[in-house]
Amino acid sequence: MTCAQLDRALLLESEQISGEQARVLFEHAAGCADCGGVLAAIRTARSAGRAHLPVAALAARARILAAVEGGGDPGIFQRWRGPLLVFAGAAAAVAIVEVSTVSPKTEVVAVPQQAAPIEATRETKTTANAIANTIAVAGGTAVLGKEAIAELVPDSELTALSLSSGELTIELEAGRAIEVITAGARVKVIGGRTVIAHRGAKTEVQVVSGTAKAWPKGSLTPKVIVAGETGAIIKVEEREAPKPRAPNLDAALKEAKAALITDAPRAAVLAEKVLDTVPKTTQQEAEALVILADAERRRGRLDASAELYAKVAAHPRGRSFAEEALLQRALILAKTDQSDAVLATLAIAAEQFPRGATAPERAALAAEMYLAKKEPLRAAEEIERAASFGRSLKLLEKRVEVARALLAQDAAAHRARAHSLLEALLDPSTPQALRIDAETLLKK
Amino acid sequence: MVTEVESRIGVVAPPVIERQTLTIERVFREHFDHVYRIVGRLLGPSASSLDVDDLTQQVFVAVNRALPGFRGESTVSTWLYGIASNVVLTHLRGFRRQRRLRRELDLAAATPEHARSPEQAYAEKQELVLVWKRLLSVKPDKRIVYVLYEIEGLSGAEIAVALGVPQATVFTRLHHARREVAKALLPLQRGRLP
């Protein structure tokens, strides 16, 4: 950088320089590689910075409000970061009393990572015990039956529980949903009151009010259970107890994962080796499947990869990868022009992870599929529905495309809807190029 | 006990007009998303959502404590910008934290398997990573000014009120931050003149 005007070029597009001075400097920058580069860099940095749009998860929002209202000292009110085990049927736990007094309004049972399991009794009707016997979940509560063993799924934002054995009564506000995962099924409870029990070889789902959907182990198709269906039973195969992780396989998995970036074929071979020896239905098996699916995708074996992603999504221990796996499967299917299969996969993902991290990208992909099918109105619906999922660059770009398609199909009939899509892009935080596109279309 | 953050908040002037009806519930309801986004952007894309959650919580705890002294000499949002900036600035003081953010950004760039659509996302992400990588090496006080001005779109005067510093200081910090970011991006911009 040698131009004498460089330092002044850094003042462009700020309040520090305007009018004639700015005009002269802009003209100079247009013909000067150094100053023009600086100006372009300022714009690129601004655009890249604005593309980062952090959005809070609903559960995080509720948790923060509870902490603030409770006079929460952020140093004491810690969200849990590891598995939280709650056992019913034993002695009352002092740890619960201590935590509950910190922020009694929240009824969130919080323990530091690596804490010992919390034990609580159901018989004594004290507040502390009521809390100990109840797990706060997003939009409601889960009450453990006698001798039930349940675990909040880490990083699920209070929307998923793992039920190892016993009975769990879920009560949710209308329209809210959480998942309960047992050894044999994944059950999605949607509003109302549902009792789920897992004993021995079967999982029972009893819907008192609301709805539940249950995916038997290995299935992508749910069984729908409505209120009043009190005896719906999903039988599952007798399952072995969870096996501990094999340290040698952890090392192999790490090696396979490291090879993914530079040598996908080798990563695939290593992952296959792990799959040959790893115990079935373990976390390690799920991880190996993910690596193999990624490796196959990277080496261009798309069909095999799509199939593997489906296996990951249906794996009993694959929940933490399932949302991403379903999106990857949909993206692969989109590459091979299977739009109906893409939409079906996206529908499954939306069912299982309605407000998941990939929701904006799923909406953008669904809109793209509908645009390809010449159905801009359906595409618009997808974009409109995604408005509450947060913003992503792809979704913003898709707004422009959908609005353009609506106007092209029938400008008179769809103008209002197209404009509504575009107006959301006039926000100053929208990347400049998109905002200009939106403004241009709005003038039409 | 007045915390370091609260003592820093003291330099920010609070509101008169809305003072009567302003409650923590109202501030939370109307400004939560805004505050969350500011905190997330001040920390950069390599920060975990857990860190953003924690600091957003700290901001609202600080707001709750500072609310009685809110005199209405600035808008609520400007006041919140100031509090959020001070909370993040205090958090970032630790050299290790900053180093961790930079390291995580490096990792994010080198591990495309976690990206949504790895190959494509990797390419798309490079520019963003480069910008934020450079930004994370800019001193926090300058970076905060840069984020508030360039990304959040505040004026120099608003930033001066929010941070309790003279406007000239705001523009000096902005100039330094712009120079560092531009220096890093310039090789990319050759041949892409405006």
Side-chain angles (χ1 to χ4, degrees):
Chain A
M1 293 202 282
T2 52
C3 181
Q5 297 290 333
L6 259 180
D7 239 27
R8 284 171 58 75
L10 282 166
L11 303 177
L12 282 169
E13 297 189 351
S14 79
E15 303 159 66
Q16 300 169 84
I17 189 165
S18 60
E20 183 59 18
Q21 280 185 319
R23 192 189 61 74
V24 170
L25 204 49
F26 272 121
E27 275 179 13
H28 165 75
C32 170
D34 286 340
C35 296
V38 162
L39 183 53
I42 288 170
R43 288 173 178 171
T44 301
R46 188 184 297 136
S47 177
R50 288 181 179 178
H52 175 50
L53 288 167
V55 178
L58 282 179
R61 186 190 180 104
R63 198 168 48 226
I64 293 169
L65 179 61
V68 175
E69 282 185 334
D73 179 340
I76 298 171
F77 184 88
Q78 292 282 335
R79 77 183 119 41
W80 57 274
R81 289 177 190 238
L84 168 61
L85 294 177
V86 181
F87 291 91
V94 174
I96 289 297
V97 177
E98 286 174 355
V99 174
S100 65
T101 55
V102 172
S103 182
K105 287 180 187 175
T106 66
E107 295 201 346
V108 172
V109 182
V111 290
Q113 196 167 11
Q114 306 300 329
I118 297 165
E119 297 179 317
T121 178
R122 195 185 185 196
E123 286 75 34
T124 320
K125 302 289 183 187
T126 64
T127 307
N129 289 330
I131 292 171
N133 216 16
T134 302
I135 301 176
V137 294
T141 55
V143 180
L144 282 83
K146 199 174 179 184
E147 294 178 2
I149 300 175
E151 179 184 356
L152 274 165
V153 174
D155 299 328
S156 69
E157 300 287 2
L158 309 184
T159 60
L161 287 159
S162 165
L163 174 63
S164 301
S165 66
E167 187 180 290
L168 202 53
T169 303
I170 311 287
E171 292 214 28
L172 294 178
E173 295 165 14
R176 303 299 293 269
I178 71 157
E179 286 193 353
V180 177
I181 299 155
T182 71
R186 178 155 57 211
V187 182
K188 182 175 183 179
V189 179
I190 307 160
R193 181 188 175 94
T194 294
V195 181
I196 300 167
H198 182 73
R199 293 185 188 89
K202 69 180 177 187
T203 300
E204 291 181 7
V205 181
Q206 183 181 355
V207 179
V208 180
S209 60
T211 315
K213 292 182 179 180
W215 287 262
K217 188 176 78 175
S219 168
L220 283 175
T221 312
K223 176 179 176 61
V224 179
I225 306 154
V226 297
E229 285 189 340
T230 54
I233 296 169
I234 301 153
K235 291 193 175 176
V236 297
E237 296 298 317
E238 192 68 60
R239 196 168 170 274
E240 292 173 37
K243 298 176 181 72
R245 292 179 74 93
N248 57 330
L249 292 181
D250 268 346
L253 281 170
K254 196 175 171 187
E255 193 184 347
K257 196 172 175 185
L260 257 183
I261 301 167
T262 52
D263 190 352
R266 183 162 167 266
V269 170
L270 291 168
E272 277 169 346
K273 273 187 188 169
V274 173
L275 285 169
D276 286 342
T277 51
V278 74
K280 300 297 170 199
T281 69
T282 56
Q283 176 77 14
Q284 286 169 318
E285 186 188 41
E287 288 171 20
L289 279 171
V290 173
I291 293 170
L292 184 55
D294 278 355
E296 296 289 43
R297 189 195 63 238
R298 282 160 190 274
R299 63 208 285 212
R301 295 166 67 167
L302 298 183
D303 289 344
S305 177
E307 204 169 306
L308 284 161
Y309 280 124
K311 282 187 184 173
V312 171
H315 195 280
R317 295 277 164 187
R319 193 181 186 285
S320 51
F321 311 107
E323 184 182 357
E324 183 67 23
L326 286 167
L327 176 64
Q328 290 297 346
R329 179 176 160 79
L331 288 167
I332 290 171
L333 293 170
K335 276 185 190 168
T336 49
D337 295 328
Q338 302 177 60
S339 57
D340 288 336
V342 172
L343 292 168
T345 304
L346 292 175
I348 291 168
E351 278 282 344
Q352 296 186 17
F353 306 97
R355 302 188 72 86
T358 65
E361 193 164 351
R362 288 198 313 256
L365 183 57
E368 190 178 317
M369 291 299 104
Y370 284 122
L371 284 180
K373 286 158 69 90
K374 311 279 183 212
E375 296 181 36
L377 285 171
R378 298 287 299 274
E381 279 171 24
E382 293 291 340
I383 299 289
E384 286 156 0
R385 196 177 304 132
S388 62
F389 296 162
R391 285 154 59 107
S392 78
L393 194 56
K394 277 192 178 174
L395 205 49
L396 296 178
E397 288 168 349
K398 215 48 75 179
R399 272 181 181 270
V400 176
E401 286 179 37
V402 173
R404 191 175 282 129
L406 283 171
L407 292 171
Q409 190 181 61
D410 189 342
H414 303 324
R415 176 160 293 136
R417 197 159 183 185
H419 281 202
S420 162
L421 287 172
L422 294 168
E423 276 157 8
L425 299 175
L426 301 180
D427 185 291
S429 64
T430 303
Q432 194 179 20
L434 280 175
R435 208 163 62 235
I436 291 168
D437 279 351
E439 285 165 356
T440 309
L441 277 173
L442 280 167
K443 285 175 192 161
K444 285 188 178 174
Chain B
M1 188 186 81
V2 178
T3 66
E4 187 186 1
V5 168
E6 286 160 355
S7 68
R8 291 175 62 83
I9 290 163
V11 298
V12 181
V16 169
I17 305 167
E18 300 163 83
R19 189 180 168 192
Q20 303 300 319
T21 53
L22 206 61
T23 62
I24 185 63
E25 290 78 14
R26 184 177 158 198
V27 174
F28 191 91
R29 191 176 62 245
E30 293 176 3
H31 298 279
F32 175 82
D33 291 333
H34 181 208
V35 168
Y36 192 90
R37 191 189 69 210
I38 300 164
V39 170
R41 281 178 161 175
L42 289 174
L43 287 175
S46 58
S48 73
S49 61
L50 301 178
D51 283 343
V52 183
D53 290 357
D54 273 354
L55 288 185
T56 303
Q57 181 174 315
Q58 283 189 37
V59 170
F60 279 104
V61 169
V63 167
N64 200 14
R65 288 178 184 163
L67 211 49
F70 193 49
R71 294 193 306 277
E73 290 166 10
S74 69
T75 64
V76 177
S77 60
T78 303
W79 184 56
L80 291 173
Y81 272 119
I83 294 177
S85 301
N86 287 325
V87 166
V88 173
L89 195 57
T90 304
H91 172 78
L92 287 177
R93 282 242 174 79
F95 173 71
R96 283 183 187 171
R97 281 183 182 135
Q98 293 216 60
R99 200 171 54 182
R100 196 192 69 196
L101 288 173
R102 284 199 292 273
R103 196 176 56 231
E104 285 172 1
L105 202 56
D106 284 338
L107 283 174
T111 50
E113 73 271 25
H114 295 310
R116 299 282 170 260
S117 173
E119 290 81 2
Q120 187 188 1
Y122 183 73
E124 287 172 1
K125 209 167 51 177
Q126 286 315 290
E127 213 159 60
L128 192 143
V129 166
L130 195 58
V131 168
W132 283 99
K133 197 171 173 184
R134 174 54 62 178
L135 267 178
L136 290 173
S137 66
V138 172
K139 278 189 175 176
D141 55 350
K142 292 175 191 163
R143 188 193 330 153
I144 282 171
V145 168
Y146 181 91
V147 169
L148 295 182
Y149 194 90
E150 292 285 347
I151 301 176
E152 287 294 319
L154 266 66
S155 67
E158 286 172 318
I159 297 171
V161 170
L163 301 184
V165 297
Q167 201 168 326
T169 305
V170 169
F171 286 123
T172 305
R173 289 178 185 175
L174 176 68
H175 192 74
H176 285 300
R178 273 187 164 194
R179 180 187 286 151
E180 292 191 38
V181 173
K183 197 174 164 186
L185 285 182
L186 205 53
L188 275 184
Q189 303 302 335
R190 303 273 184 201
R192 245 209 258 181
L193 300 184

